[in-house]
Amino acid sequence: MTLHLEGGLARGTLAIDMDLAVGRETVALVGPNGAGKSTTLKLIAGLLRLDRGSLRCDDDVWDDGAGRFTVSEDRRVAWLPQDPLLFPHLDVLSNVAFGPRSRGASRTDASQLATAMLERLDLGRFAARKPETLSGGEARKVAIARALVTRPRVLLLDEPFAGIDVSAAVDLRKELASCFADFDGPVILVTHAAVDAFMLADRIAVVECGRRVQIGTAEALGAAPATRYVADLVGLNFLRGRVHDGLLTLDDGGTLVVAHPVEGPVTATIHPRAVSLHLSRPDGSPRNVWSTTVTSVEPSPGSARVRVEGPIPLVAEITHAAVRTLSLRPGSAVFVAVKATEITLTPV
Amino acid sequence: MNLPRTALAVAASAAALLFAVPLVGLLAHAPWGEFPALLGDARVRNALALSFAASGAAVGVAIVLGMPLALWLASGRSALRTVVRTIVLLPVVLPPIVAGIALLSAFGRNGLVGAPLEQAFGVTIPFTRVATVVAAAYMGLPFFVLAVESGLRAFDARWLDMARSLGAGPIRRFAYVTLPMIFPSVATGMLLCFMRALGEYCATQLFAGNLEGVTRTLPLACGLAMETDPRLAVALSLLLSGTSVAVLLLLKRRLPGAP
């Protein structure tokens, strides 16, 4: 089962031009706010029409950008927006039974299906409750039950963890992971949190300004990030410039000695662990050494991420012990060293 | 002592009294002892039944015709919608006598629609029970349309997107999502429409006449009683006031400033 989306639409300042093929897998759509992720989900759900291009699910053409358009109610796409949108006038059971009822199931059958689905997700005790009495995490799970009970062909989730507390998010993440594993079709998950994308998705599609700039596994993205956003996402330093004769001249100023036999415009990535910090000028193998100032020190489990300012702003990942030994704090003067062989170049 | 605050209190009290005193006058003149006898009279019971039937039918007309109109008005913005909305809301501000004359010129025996209707089908509207319903609906419908349209405009269309993605077609979306969710607006519209129809006097008299047992509604009976039996008029007025107060109590939670 495969979903193909090519093309897009223009709405005011947002222009979407998407190229996405999702099989029986989970793809995370990540990207900055306003990149068109939610709009892409609405296109697939049939709540918006393509201006041009096509949207197909297997052999069914859902939208050809012209006359052919399958209305949302006939697509069997589960759409889970950020707001769970449980019908406030119906109790939890009736909310979950709404889909089967709409698709022609009798009252008894719909109710049985809904009860079974609530039990499966361990939500049986909420059946008679009104949505307003549920917590954010509970409402989110009920919305998932309501979507899954319709036996959808495609599952779309928009920021499933937004606005719920941390412990509920942990619980929900587990729940979703098992739902995705059981689900026999394309799952598309919109998120801005890298951790969710890495934990839940098989592949990550990065969307910027309405376009899919890169798609691949987390490893593939990390190996050759296409944009600064992707590099930030995977935690890498990302630079652009032009190589001539083993010397990389950066677009934003500064030069670096590089080891790869590449010429012309490139993107360069440096892993934060490959950036070392020193109190005095190191005299050793590193070919790139310069002095600068620390702008921030962010502790993270096992290590700390230290940002340094220009001429080449970078992030260095060092141990907590090193932070203490060097007594680093914002404003500390340091020498930065990067080995030429640690700079990965990708021609563009 | 705070002078502006005192002035405000005096002015506000005067305004409140302006509304309270007539009501007190009505209560003071009420022939409490004779109530059962006065209201038990067959003519009064006829008028009461006629009034409630005509107003109920007007609410029915509002639902059948006003609901689709409100749905269309709320479904977008256009010059045509503005024109139609203005025409529909006209009866709210129109002097009732003008409404009565307008209804006669349209549906009267020599009216624009009335004349061909009579020639072709032998149907006459004016001075029949149907006319009381037409007059009541004409005056009451705008309140229904206004209330329902504002309810629909405040309604978040994302609920419909959700219903759609769950497989609900247009009829199911309206019946099971839109209607229950805007029900407070619909109920308000129905009550306002009913009350405006119940109180209708001038247009009814002009267009439907004042025929005992046929078109003499409660307000018309009340007006007539004022000339023959003022005690009966006061009793009927209290009956109408009681109904109005009951409706206000039903609407109370929907009025601004409610606790």
Side-chain angles (χ1 to χ4, degrees):
Chain A
M1 192 177 283
T2 313
L3 185 80
H4 291 272
L5 169 62
E6 289 171 71
L9 82 172
R11 288 273 183 291
T13 56
L14 180 66
I16 293 205
D17 190 3
M18 205 52 73
D19 180 8
L20 208 59
V22 184
R24 193 190 170 287
E25 59 179 334
T26 302
V27 168
L29 285 189
V30 298
N33 284 336
K37 306 183 296 282
S38 300
T39 309
T40 303
L41 292 196
K42 283 189 160 187
L43 279 169
I44 298 170
L47 304 171
L48 289 174
R49 281 169 179 255
L50 285 170
D51 287 348
R52 75 209 125 65
S54 75
L55 171 67
R56 285 176 294 123
C57 185
D58 292 330
D59 295 330
D60 299 335
V61 178
W62 278 350
D63 193 343
D64 65 359
R68 248 170 111 173
F69 182 78
T70 306
V71 292
S72 183
E73 53 261 43
D74 296 336
R75 288 190 187 187
R76 287 186 34 226
V77 168
W79 174 63
L80 290 156
Q82 207 165 324
D83 183 337
L85 292 176
L86 297 178
F87 299 121
H89 57 290
L90 300 177
D91 62 22
V92 165
L93 185 68
S94 307
N95 259 288
V96 180
F98 186 91
R101 281 290 283 155
S102 299
R103 297 214 150 89
S106 74
R107 203 174 285 271
T108 344
D109 291 350
S111 177
Q112 268 170 9
L113 283 169
T115 308
M117 181 53 73
L118 285 173
E119 291 299 338
R120 208 183 108 190
L121 296 185
D122 197 22
L123 296 166
R125 62 191 179 286
F126 299 122
R129 296 259 293 267
K130 278 291 177 75
E132 68 201 22
T133 68
L134 301 179
S135 74
E138 290 160 359
R140 213 65 68 104
K141 279 165 94 174
V142 171
I144 291 164
R146 180 175 64 174
L148 288 178
V149 79
T150 60
R151 307 185 141 276
R153 297 171 71 178
V154 178
L155 195 51
L156 308 173
L157 298 98
D158 200 343
E159 299 282 6
F161 307 108
I164 60 174
D165 62 60
V166 180
S167 63
V170 170
D171 182 36
L172 186 61
R173 203 173 282 119
K174 264 189 243 158
E175 201 73 65
L176 282 180
S178 84
C179 281
F180 295 172
D182 294 345
F183 188 71
D184 186 31
V187 179
I188 301 178
L189 166 79
V190 163
T191 180
H192 66 261
V195 58
D196 293 329
F198 294 140
M199 282 180 69
L200 292 168
D202 300 309
R203 289 194 298 158
I204 297 167
V206 182
V207 180
E208 287 178 56
C209 301
R211 287 173 179 276
R212 192 220 69 209
V213 295
Q214 195 168 14
I215 184 165
T217 60
E219 293 75 33
L221 259 54
T227 65
R228 178 182 298 277
Y229 183 86
V230 181
D232 281 347
L233 189 76
V234 293
L236 298 178
N237 290 298
F238 183 85
L239 305 163
R240 276 178 193 282
R242 178 177 285 272
V243 179
H244 181 65
D245 232 1
L247 197 67
L248 167 63
T249 306
L250 298 171
D251 293 348
D252 296 329
T255 55
L256 289 168
V257 178
V258 294
H260 295 270
V262 182
E263 285 286 306
V266 293
T267 63
T269 53
I270 308 168
H271 198 284
R273 278 198 294 274
V275 179
S276 59
L277 303 177
H278 308 265
L279 287 180
S280 54
R281 181 174 284 274
D283 44 340
S285 59
R287 304 298 311 278
N288 299 297
V289 177
W290 66 93
S291 71
T292 183
T293 315
V294 171
T295 52
S296 72
V297 180
E298 304 157 20
S300 62
S303 63
R305 290 169 70 83
V306 179
R307 284 176 193 278
V308 296
E309 61 177 38
I312 305 171
L314 290 176
V315 174
E317 192 180 321
I318 59 176
T319 61
H320 293 300
V323 172
R324 279 195 301 275
T325 312
L326 301 176
S327 61
L328 293 181
R329 60 178 63 88
S332 304
V334 287
F335 285 91
V336 178
V338 179
K339 288 169 73 174
T341 50
E342 294 284 1
I343 302 171
T344 308
L345 299 178
T346 312
V348 289
Chain B
M1 176 160 267
N2 188 327
L3 196 63
R5 181 166 282 191
T6 315
L8 183 67
V10 169
S13 308
L17 279 176
L18 182 65
F19 290 96
V21 169
L23 206 58
V24 173
L26 209 54
L27 289 170
H29 274 83
W32 297 106
E34 297 163 70
F35 244 68
L38 284 170
L39 298 182
D41 186 279
R43 284 166 304 173
V44 172
R45 276 189 283 120
N46 274 342
L48 196 66
L50 255 176
S51 260
F52 276 81
S55 304
V59 172
V61 170
I63 292 169
V64 173
L65 299 180
M67 184 66 85
L69 182 61
L71 279 169
W72 177 73
L73 284 173
S75 66
R77 287 177 201 284
S78 66
L80 183 63
R81 283 189 177 81
T82 308
V83 172
V84 171
R85 190 181 296 109
T86 310
I87 293 171
V88 171
L89 295 188
L90 207 55
V92 176
V93 288
L94 213 58
I97 184 104
V98 178
I101 293 168
L103 282 173
L104 264 183
S105 354
F107 302 109
R109 291 201 136 158
N110 302 315
L112 202 59
V113 179
L117 208 60
E118 185 166 5
Q119 270 171 3
F121 304 104
V123 176
T124 49
I125 297 176
F127 310 110
T128 64
R129 278 190 181 159
V130 175
T132 62
V133 176
V134 172
Y138 185 76
M139 302 308 280
L141 188 81
F143 292 93
F144 182 82
V145 173
L146 200 65
V148 175
E149 195 203 340
S150 70
L152 284 168
R153 284 206 178 269
F155 178 66
D156 189 340
R158 290 180 313 157
W159 299 108
L160 296 180
D161 280 348
M162 179 46 80
R164 195 183 293 230
S165 78
L166 289 169
I171 294 170
R172 200 177 160 78
R173 290 201 293 272
F174 178 71
Y176 289 90
V177 180
T178 310
L179 203 53
M181 288 185 72
I182 64 158
F183 185 72
S185 301
V186 176
T188 304
M190 284 167 66
L191 281 172
L192 289 174
C193 174
F194 184 83
M195 282 321 291
R196 183 62 191 84
L198 194 66
E200 177 42 42
Y201 180 85
C202 211
T204 309
Q205 187 165 41
L206 262 176
F207 182 55
N210 192 351
L211 308 169
E212 157 65 25
V214 184
T215 66
R216 184 172 297 156
T217 56
L218 213 49
L220 292 178
C222 200
L224 193 69
M226 207 52 215
E227 288 160 26
T228 54
D229 185 357
R231 284 172 317 147
L232 178 61
V234 171
L236 291 177
S237 300
L238 274 171
L239 192 64
L240 282 168
S241 310
T243 318
S244 305
V245 170
V247 167
L248 277 181
L249 287 177
L250 277 172
L251 286 174
K252 196 179 79 174
R253 276 174 302 162
R254 315 206 51 75
L255 293 176

